[in-house]
Amino acid sequence: MDKAWEQEFAGRDRMPQRRDRPPADRAPADRVRADRLPAARAEHSAGVTQIHEPGALPVDPAVPAREGCWELLPGDVRAKTLEKAGRSLVWWARVYDDGAPFAVVFGDRGLCRVQPVYRNGRAEEHRGERARVEPGSLLSRSFDGRPVQAGGGAAAPGRPGAPVERLVLDPPQAQGVLGHFPLDVQDFLQRPFLADRRPVTAEWYYEETVEPSHTGLFVLLCLSTDHHVTAIEARRTLDRDATPDRARWQHITCHQARLTPR
């Protein structure tokens, strides 16, 4: 076990620091990727959460999938990450342009992040950080994600006339990722942060498969602050030439939890 990892995971758990070397805007092989984090579980707000429009999800066939990137991490680092995260709910791994892997794992015990440590311009080891999940605060929910019916009027939860609550998402491109989800899912992922009025970190990952008649999308998204975390794992099918609001979602599972102060 390298020294940097031991120092981070030996006792003091904390939210991950911002990357010194942010990943380039690239996606995984014949699939797509994405990443960044926010938080979950807000106090109650009568406001209406902001509804986002779907953005572009570029694919780069040269980038390996999450399983391959995960295997690039040292075995002891993988084991320690899974131990600290607990039962895994949402996870992915990716590589930077120099091939150094990094990972995000959200489990029932904590939100973990693993980053390479650079010395003299090279990644020489990995450091892990965790934000603990407050016991008993984890909430999971499934959504059916059925398309809006013609003439229907799906709307985000909230009382009529309530003000629209807008979160500051970092990076702003997260709005385009959120925009692909049904309105009730967007509300579930954003609502826990409304009371804090602080920027929300967003991380995501996705893979796309292309068939003659349709495309398939597997997408993971995590939002977090130092008080909350929300995350989603979802799969959808979109017929050729159809707009994202007509997608068929086969699987949508969302999670919210409070994080303990460090």
Side-chain angles (χ1 to χ4, degrees):
M1 179 67 64
D2 60 53
K3 208 181 241 188
W5 181 271
E6 288 180 338
Q7 289 174 349
E8 292 299 332
F9 269 5
R12 59 190 185 103
D13 294 317
R14 56 180 179 134
M15 284 295 291
Q17 299 290 321
R18 257 179 131 37
R19 300 188 188 93
D20 293 329
R21 298 167 51 88
D25 290 333
R26 301 181 46 174
D30 199 53
R31 335 176 150 129
V32 184
R33 56 78 191 173
D35 80 309
R36 292 238 176 195
L37 319 161
R41 198 80 192 263
E43 283 31 84
H44 299 292
S45 171
V48 177
T49 52
Q50 182 179 6
I51 296 305
H52 302 284
E53 296 297 323
L57 299 178
V59 181
D60 184 350
V63 179
R66 62 174 185 161
E67 294 85 357
C69 294
W70 176 257
E71 292 299 322
L72 294 176
L73 290 165
D76 56 346
V77 171
R78 298 198 304 268
K80 182 62 73 172
T81 302
L82 296 177
E83 173 191 339
K84 291 292 181 177
R87 177 172 57 89
S88 179
L89 302 171
V90 172
W91 74 274
W92 67 86
R94 288 182 50 212
V95 294
Y96 291 123
D97 285 346
D98 61 1
F102 66 94
V104 174
V105 181
F106 172 48
D108 62 357
R109 295 180 57 196
L111 172 61
C112 295
R113 187 170 173 184
V114 179
Q115 289 288 339
V117 177
Y118 287 87
R119 295 190 181 91
N120 299 319
R122 297 187 44 158
E124 297 187 357
E125 57 187 11
H126 283 80
R127 174 180 294 119
E129 300 172 335
R130 175 178 70 168
R132 293 178 183 270
V133 167
E134 178 182 307
S137 71
L138 179 63
L139 170 66
S140 297
R141 179 179 170 187
S142 295
F143 293 82
D144 59 27
R146 287 176 293 185
V148 178
Q149 298 300 312
R159 58 184 174 76
V164 175
E165 305 277 3
R166 290 178 170 82
L167 299 180
V168 177
L169 299 176
D170 179 22
Q173 291 87 341
Q175 297 179 21
V177 181
L178 269 172
H180 284 269
F181 297 116
L183 304 188
D184 52 354
V185 174
Q186 292 191 41
D187 181 79
F188 183 91
L189 293 171
Q190 296 180 91
R191 186 159 294 278
F193 306 101
L194 299 185
D196 285 347
R197 303 287 184 182
R198 67 183 68 196
V200 176
T201 302
E203 299 182 274
W204 61 88
Y205 171 94
Y206 56 88
E207 302 176 2
E208 183 184 63
T209 56
V210 180
E211 303 292 343
S213 62
H214 66 274
T215 60
L217 182 71
F218 170 60
V219 59
L220 306 167
L221 171 69
C222 183
L223 302 178
S224 62
T225 61
D226 55 356
H227 291 114
H228 299 94
V229 59
T230 61
I232 182 172
E233 176 179 309
R235 295 180 184 274
R236 80 168 191 202
T237 300
L238 185 64
D239 292 337
R240 182 175 293 278
D241 299 325
T243 55
D245 62 303
R246 308 308 300 170
R248 300 187 301 277
W249 293 90
Q250 292 80 29
H251 167 81
I252 303 178
T253 302
C254 297
H255 311 279
Q256 295 179 359
R258 290 189 295 271
L259 300 175
T260 59
R262 36 180 203 271

